[in-house]
């Protein structure tokens, strides 16, 4: 969170981080191989950001599902289904604007960061 070299709780390596690392490694060729951690001083700020991300993600996906249900009530067709899937996917991608990765499942593990997060 602060960008300093500190010990802390490791960040879970999920699909979004793997995708970002793939993009940086294969497209921009600027992969740095950082170990991402959250130190104890930044834990409160991290929790706020993580809660904000998860609540917005749930809200956007719920809105997409409601839109899909309403669309299917109005007209059950393959076009409605495809449009509903596209809307749900687009809303999920919009929720990634506030992306904050989760902590590793074993929170007692700590990792040393190589350089800025």
């Amino acid at each position: 969170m602060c960008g300093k070299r500190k010990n802390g709780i490791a960040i879970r390596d999920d699909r979004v981080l793997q995708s970002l690392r793939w993009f940086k490694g294969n497209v921009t060729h600027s992969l740095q191989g950082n170990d991402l951690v959250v130190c104890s001083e930044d834990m409160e700020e991290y929790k706020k950001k993580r809660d904000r991300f998860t609540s917005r993600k749930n809200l956007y996906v719920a809105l997409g599902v409601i839109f899909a249900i309403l669309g299917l009530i109005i007209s059950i067709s393959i076009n409605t289904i495809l449009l509903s899937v596209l809307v749900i996917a687009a809303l999920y991608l919009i929720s990634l604007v506030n992306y904050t990765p989760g902590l590793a499942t074993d929170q007692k593990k700590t990792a040393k960061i190589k350089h800025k997060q």
Side-chain angles (χ1 to χ4, degrees), residues 6-107:
K6 293 185 176 183
N7 293 334
I9 298 173
I11 296 294
R12 183 178 343 121
D13 195 27
D14 58 6
R15 283 181 259 147
V16 176
L17 284 178
Q18 290 172 354
S19 300
L20 289 171
R21 287 185 175 135
W22 177 89
F23 182 81
K24 289 184 84 172
N26 294 319
V27 178
T28 64
H29 302 292
S30 62
L31 185 62
Q32 298 172 347
N34 295 339
D35 290 329
L36 302 176
V37 298
V38 177
C39 63
S40 59
E41 292 88 20
D42 294 324
M43 187 58 70
E44 187 175 323
E45 180 184 351
Y46 166 80
K47 286 180 181 179
K48 287 179 186 177
K49 286 185 177 187
R50 178 67 181 172
D51 291 342
R52 179 179 177 201
F53 165 68
T54 54
S55 66
R56 288 195 178 184
K57 179 183 71 169
N58 293 338
L59 175 68
Y60 290 161
V61 171
L63 287 174
V65 169
I66 290 170
F67 176 80
I69 291 170
L70 290 175
L72 290 172
I73 289 173
I74 293 171
S75 169
I76 298 178
S77 69
I78 191 75
N79 290 335
T80 306
I81 294 170
L82 291 175
L83 181 62
S84 299
V85 170
L86 287 175
V87 168
I88 292 170
L91 287 172
Y92 176 76
L93 290 174
I94 290 171
S95 76
L96 293 179
V97 169
N98 297 316
Y99 177 70
T100 304
L103 296 176
T105 55
D106 185 9
Q107 294 185 1

